[in-house]
Amino acid sequence: MDTSSPAAFVNAELLKMHVGRRVRALVQVMRIEGGAIMGQSTDGQQLTIRSSPAFPVSNFIEVIGIAEINQSIRAEICTDFGDKCDTVAYNRLCQLANGEYKSLFL
Amino acid sequence: MDNFMLLYHVSLLDPVYDCYLAIKNILGEDTREMLFSRKFYSGFNIWMEGRSYPPFAFINPSQTKWNIKCRVKHIYDIYNFDNPRSKGRLVKIVLTDEREEEILLLLFDENIERYRGILSEGSAYCIHDVVVKPNTQRCPITNHQYHLRPMRFTTVLPFDGDMIPITWKFPSLKSLCQATSSTTDLCDILGILVYVSKIHTIKTQNNFTFKKELVLIDDSNHPVLLTLWALKAHSVTEDMVHVPIFDTVLMVKAVKVVQYQGGSLSSTGYTTTTVNPINVGAERLLAWLEGNATARSLLKRIQSSSSPSSVASILPLAKKVNITQFYQHLQRDALTPTYYRITATLAQIRIGQLHCYSACVACKHKFVPSDNTNKCSFCEYGCDPPILSYTIKAEVVDETGTMDLRLFTDEAEHVLGLTALEFRTQVIEGDDISRFNRIFSPRLWKKYVFILSNLKGKLMITDTSDFIVHSIIDVDYSEESHALLHLIDAPEVGNDHSPIESVIESVTMHSSLPSSSTLSHDVQSSSSVIGVATHQSLIDTSTTLSSTASSITHSKNVLQSQLTNTEGDVLSSAEGRGKQKYHGSHTEQDSPCMEQDIISVHTHGENSAVESTIAESSIHASQRDDELHLGNVSEEG
């Protein structure tokens, strides 16, 4: 297992702190435009997912990739989480994993 | 007597020849032609309009005979009574007036034939010269102080009763079962059918009877147990053989609230059931369930539990605790049961505590025939042969500790997937020493919600007392994740830091290394954080799990690199929570197994790391079946 570059749990707000680094985010697919997915992050803000295959609208996907500026992620791995997901819990995880318990994850 | 009244009396009664002759003699003329003439009817209607019909609230013994306008709300079945004072047949009819007040009309013996053919449910009538009597019943169906009884001079005339509506007011099931004061009042209920049990034989104080258990739910979102006794159990069975669960509404009249399992309902001699009744709001209930995902999820969990009828009534009362809190809540010499639900992982089956036995059908005790008869020595029941049952003792673990639980047939079957016969054949009688790994290992390390009470049950087989699991239901991961979040945010009492902060402080400050005993506690507490981390991101995909595990393994490596590994102590957070506790209870033979677990974490590929690090995390059982081989690690190693 390659643990050299762990992906940080982020939402749209926390993405800005990890530009250029590997991140993972839970996104609900809102629409697909020109090969990019416009999604809503767990904190309600918009994220753009590039280089991603298509997923059904309204489904939740977890995206692992490199964070870019302008609230976008260049996807490496996308996983379909289905149409039901607890975004509140995931958002809280993002806050914990980047806050007081950051040392446990990164 | 008014001529109109007299003639209608004759016309509406069953043509009792004696009565007709009596009337003819009194009037001295042949009244037959008059009975059906239009002039007669129109005259009667004019006469009717002049009458006054008081509301039921005004009926009292100040006058013996009353005239009422009513609609028949419900006609109960014929009830045969036989007591030292009298013997006979009785039919109770519930009448309702314009103000929606209700009163009972009682028909005894010959009056049953006389009036049951005339009165039908839902129709409106004018009833004249009905006698009022005080309501001395122990279980009044209506709230009225008095009831009515027809006499030979009572007349009944149907009429167009649009002004008398029938509205059904059903109390919410939640308010019924949570009523703290006991009452003998009967009530009517309306609910969606969730579960129907088989018919059970049960021993009462002096006899044996049958019972059938139903679970109903209404829009109060409170599932309720309804027990049907004796003949009701059989009659309802015939009505509900093919009804689909969740799509069937049941209206049950004249049930009583009993303090069984924290508040449930029981049938009485007057209970009647109607499947999918019309005009009572059944469609509204079904629409509510269709739009309520939370309720549907709860009902599915109840249905898939080991004993749905038990879960339905206990689950709302069972307090969610962890193992440590359960022991803290225990009160010495408690007499009444208090129910708890503990989310824990099945860690071990106690090999020396497996028992297969024949159980009495009625009392469920181990069947020991009395003398030379085939009757149970405990309850004297001998109609049905004993059934094969089994019991196991299991060790379960959560983030705070371990405990042993006793599981009987239904719960054991839910966990092991073995019927009693299969258990006896494969486990008890099998001489294959590796049966443990083959049969039990795939079943270990699964998380369940165990519902138990604070009272231990004594076993006749082993003469020991154990905490007995009343029911097992599947884990609600959403609820668990929110509970863990709450645990993270709540600091420990008497400690400024939260449990996880204590661990981080000890690790990052490179101060004197904590002893293994203190670390074990901290690791257990911190594992809840890991549990949250894994909870949040765990969905049914191995890719996600492996990614999560990589984060956890990375943090685990940080911890391990800074802590000594003495006497095989397991220091990784996920495994350590359970295994560290095991170190004290396992034999030496098991210790190498634990060490190999650690080795396997570092040497196996990504998926194996996923397996071990998420051992204590909540993932779906199907995923874990494929991935968890903790019991077989010793073989693989």
Side-chain angles (χ1 to χ4, degrees):
Chain A
M1 177 188 297
D2 178 15
T3 60
S4 58
S5 59
F9 289 90
V10 297
N11 52 25
E13 189 63 34
L14 295 165
L15 184 74
K16 303 163 194 170
M17 296 162 42
H18 297 277
V19 173
R21 289 190 239 164
R22 212 151 174 265
V23 296
R24 64 197 302 158
L26 182 70
V27 163
Q28 184 176 21
V29 178
M30 306 304 289
R31 62 184 186 276
I32 300 174
E33 287 180 5
I37 291 178
M38 303 298 173
Q40 186 178 53
S41 170
T42 53
D43 58 353
Q45 298 182 36
Q46 184 169 303
L47 279 179
T48 305
I49 313 299
R50 305 185 196 284
S51 308
S52 158
F55 287 96
V57 173
S58 296
N59 271 26
F60 291 90
I61 59 172
E62 190 188 48
V63 179
I64 302 173
I66 306 299
E68 297 176 338
I69 56 174
N70 296 332
Q71 298 290 83
S72 68
I73 300 174
R74 190 173 72 243
E76 294 174 355
I77 303 170
C78 286
T79 311
D80 189 355
F81 275 17
D83 56 0
K84 278 185 199 170
C85 199
D86 190 348
T87 56
V88 172
Y90 195 98
N91 200 54
R92 187 79 178 99
L93 168 66
C94 293
Q95 292 164 354
L96 291 168
N98 286 278
E100 50 196 315
Y101 305 125
K102 191 173 183 177
S103 54
L104 283 179
F105 292 89
L106 298 174
Chain B
M1 183 184 291
D2 189 296
N3 281 346
F4 289 124
M5 276 290 295
L6 194 60
L7 291 171
Y8 259 82
H9 173 70
V10 171
S11 68
L12 290 172
L13 283 179
D14 178 48
V16 178
Y17 190 68
D18 291 344
C19 180
Y20 173 75
L21 286 178
I23 298 301
K24 187 178 176 186
N25 290 337
I26 291 171
L27 293 179
E29 57 190 336
D30 188 353
T31 59
R32 190 180 293 277
E33 288 78 23
M34 293 184 68
L35 287 176
F36 302 102
S37 68
R38 289 183 185 178
K39 185 178 176 182
F40 179 83
Y41 274 104
S42 62
F44 181 84
N45 287 336
I46 294 170
W47 173 78
M48 277 278 291
E49 287 171 9
R51 294 279 173 161
S52 64
Y53 298 93
F56 288 171
F58 293 166
I59 293 177
N60 61 79
S62 62
Q63 63 186 64
T64 311
K65 294 185 279 187
W66 289 80
N67 302 324
I68 60 172
K69 238 185 206 177
C70 63
R71 189 181 291 276
V72 175
K73 190 170 182 183
H74 187 69
I75 300 177
Y76 286 87
D77 294 334
I78 296 177
Y79 176 70
N80 294 303
F81 61 92
D82 184 359
N83 54 54
R85 286 185 300 172
S86 61
K87 176 182 176 180
R89 296 174 303 140
L90 165 67
V91 168
K92 295 190 178 184
I93 299 177
V94 179
L95 306 176
T96 181
D97 66 0
E98 288 177 9
R99 297 187 183 184
E100 298 178 18
E101 290 161 349
E102 296 178 357
I103 196 168
L104 268 184
L105 179 74
L106 301 188
L107 306 178
F108 286 92
D109 302 321
E110 64 273 5
N111 272 342
I112 294 176
E113 283 74 31
R114 184 171 293 168
Y115 291 101
R116 273 195 84 185
I118 302 172
L119 299 170
S120 60
E121 272 191 20
S123 298
Y125 302 92
C126 291
I127 303 179
H128 297 130
D129 293 331
V130 65
V131 171
V132 62
K133 297 275 186 186
N135 211 354
T136 59
Q137 301 170 81
R138 284 183 302 158
C139 299
I141 296 175
T142 68
N143 291 325
H144 206 286
Q145 210 174 351
Y146 306 102
H147 67 271
L148 303 173
R149 292 194 198 180
M151 297 295 161
R152 295 181 71 84
F153 43 80
T154 300
T155 61
V156 177
L157 182 68
F159 81 106
D160 182 17
D162 283 343
M163 72 287 289
I164 306 179
I166 286 189
T167 56
W168 296 90
K169 292 175 189 172
F170 300 102
S172 80
L173 296 178
K174 185 176 183 179
S175 62
L176 269 185
C177 294
Q178 289 182 344
T180 52
S181 58
S182 61
T183 173
T184 54
D185 289 349
L186 301 181
C187 55
D188 307 332
I189 59 168
L190 186 74
I192 299 173
L193 190 62
V194 176
Y195 170 74
V196 180
S197 78
K198 302 176 200 170
I199 289 189
H200 299 287
T201 306
I202 191 162
K203 182 179 185 302
T204 57
Q205 214 166 4
N206 301 315
N207 209 341
F208 297 96
T209 186
F210 303 105
K211 75 167 184 178
K212 192 174 190 75
E213 292 174 327
L214 312 180
V215 176
L216 303 174
I217 192 171
D218 66 357
D219 50 6
S220 65
N221 210 10
H222 186 101
V224 158
L225 173 68
L226 168 64
T227 306
L228 302 172
W229 296 96
L231 293 175
K232 301 295 175 191
H234 286 286
S235 63
V236 172
T237 305
E238 291 159 8
D239 290 339
M240 294 194 303
V241 168
H242 299 295
V243 292
I245 303 294
F246 287 9
D247 285 335
T248 300
V249 177
L250 211 61
M251 179 174 74
V252 190
K253 297 184 66 62
V255 294
K256 63 179 178 181
V257 179
V258 293
Q259 293 303 318
Y260 171 66
Q261 289 192 348
S264 59
L265 303 174
S266 178
S267 67
T268 65
Y270 307 108
T271 295
T272 57
T273 54
T274 308
V275 178
N276 290 327
I278 56 174
N279 298 328
V280 297
E283 299 80 12
R284 179 187 55 80
L285 264 188
L286 289 172
W288 163 81
L289 185 62
E290 181 67 31
N292 194 322
T294 309
R296 288 203 307 275
S297 170
L298 170 65
L299 296 180
K300 281 180 184 163
R301 288 176 70 207
I302 290 175
Q303 273 203 326
S304 62
S305 67
S306 58
S307 52
S309 53
S310 176
V311 164
S313 52
I314 294 178
L315 187 60
L317 306 171
K319 188 178 175 185
K320 180 173 169 52
V321 295
N322 56 41
I323 291 176
T324 300
Q325 289 169 338
F326 174 77
Y327 280 112
Q328 289 169 351
H329 280 86
L330 282 183
Q331 292 173 348
R332 192 179 295 179
D333 302 330
L335 296 175
T336 56
T338 306
Y339 295 100
Y340 299 93
R341 49 192 172 101
I342 299 176
T343 303
T345 303
L346 182 66
Q348 188 184 10
I349 308 292
R350 301 287 188 196
I351 297 297
Q353 299 281 340
L354 310 174
H355 301 282
C356 201
Y357 60 98
S358 295
C360 171
V361 170
C363 65
K364 307 291 186 236
H365 284 85
K366 183 179 178 181
F367 180 77
V368 178
S370 61
D371 298 331
N372 292 327
T373 66
N374 223 18
K375 291 186 179 180
C376 173
S377 59
F378 195 80
C379 67
E380 298 293 315
Y381 184 75
C383 296
D384 295 313
I387 53 174
L388 190 63
S389 302
Y390 72 105
T391 176
I392 64 173
K393 194 168 187 176
E395 186 178 16
V396 298
V397 60
D398 71 359
E399 69 272 12
T400 64
T402 66
M403 69 182 299
D404 281 355
L405 296 175
R406 171 70 59 181
L407 283 70
F408 284 92
T409 314
D410 288 338
E411 285 67 46
E413 186 173 339
H414 188 85
V415 162
L416 298 181
L418 298 173
T419 62
L421 184 60
E422 289 168 347
F423 183 82
R424 186 176 71 178
T425 310
Q426 297 178 28
V427 177
I428 302 295
E429 295 175 354
D431 56 0
D432 185 1
I433 200 166
S434 65
R435 69 183 187 275
F436 172 77
N437 286 334
R438 182 167 44 84
I439 297 170
F440 291 158
S441 287
R443 298 291 177 172
L444 296 180
W445 303 112
K446 293 191 180 181
K447 186 171 277 195
Y448 300 96
V449 177
F450 299 94
I451 299 178
L452 58 154
S453 79
N454 57 332
L455 301 178
K456 282 189 174 183
K458 189 160 184 188
L459 270 72
M460 288 170 60
I461 310 164
T462 59
D463 201 26
T464 56
S465 295
D466 298 311
F467 289 111
I468 297 174
V469 175
H470 284 258
S471 187
I472 298 176
I473 57 176
D474 295 330
V475 179
D476 181 355
Y477 295 105
S478 175
E479 182 188 16
E480 290 300 315
S481 64
H482 286 277
L484 287 173
L485 276 173
H486 178 75
L487 183 66
I488 291 172
D489 292 334
E492 265 186 358
V493 176
N495 188 351
D496 290 337
H497 297 291
S498 69
I500 184 59
E501 286 176 341
S502 305
V503 175
I504 295 174
E505 202 175 297
S506 66
V507 168
T508 57
M509 288 179 66
H510 301 284
S511 56
S512 59
L513 297 174
S515 67
S516 58
S517 59
T518 56
L519 181 63
S520 67
H521 173 73
D522 292 334
V523 166
Q524 288 163 27
S525 302
S526 69
S527 64
S528 62
V529 177
I530 305 299
V532 171
T534 54
H535 264 296
Q536 311 317 320
S537 59
L538 281 177
I539 315 287
D540 296 308
T541 56
S542 58
T543 309
T544 306
L545 292 171
S546 62
S547 303
T548 307
S550 67
S551 313
I552 296 171
T553 308
H554 176 73
S555 61
K556 185 176 64 182
N557 289 339
V558 170
L559 288 173
Q560 286 182 355
S561 66
Q562 300 188 29
L563 297 168
T564 58
N565 191 347
T566 59
E567 297 181 359
D569 282 347
V570 177
L571 300 173
S572 59
S573 58
E575 306 91 322
R577 177 176 30 183
K579 296 293 176 86
Q580 187 140 22
K581 272 292 183 182
Y582 282 122
H583 188 260
S585 58
H586 280 326
T587 62
E588 284 186 15
Q589 189 177 356
D590 292 328
S591 298
C593 175
M594 288 159 50
E595 289 173 350
Q596 288 177 13
D597 286 345
I598 304 169
I599 293 170
S600 71
V601 168
H602 296 294
T603 58
H604 285 190
E606 178 173 318
N607 286 336
S608 298
V610 170
E611 295 166 20
S612 50
T613 52
I614 60 176
E616 295 300 329
S617 305
S618 300
I619 57 172
H620 296 291
S622 57
Q623 194 101 22
R624 298 182 66 173
D625 279 341
D626 296 334
E627 296 175 347
L628 290 176
H629 303 290
L630 290 171
N632 292 330
V633 169
S634 58
E635 292 177 1
E636 292 172 0

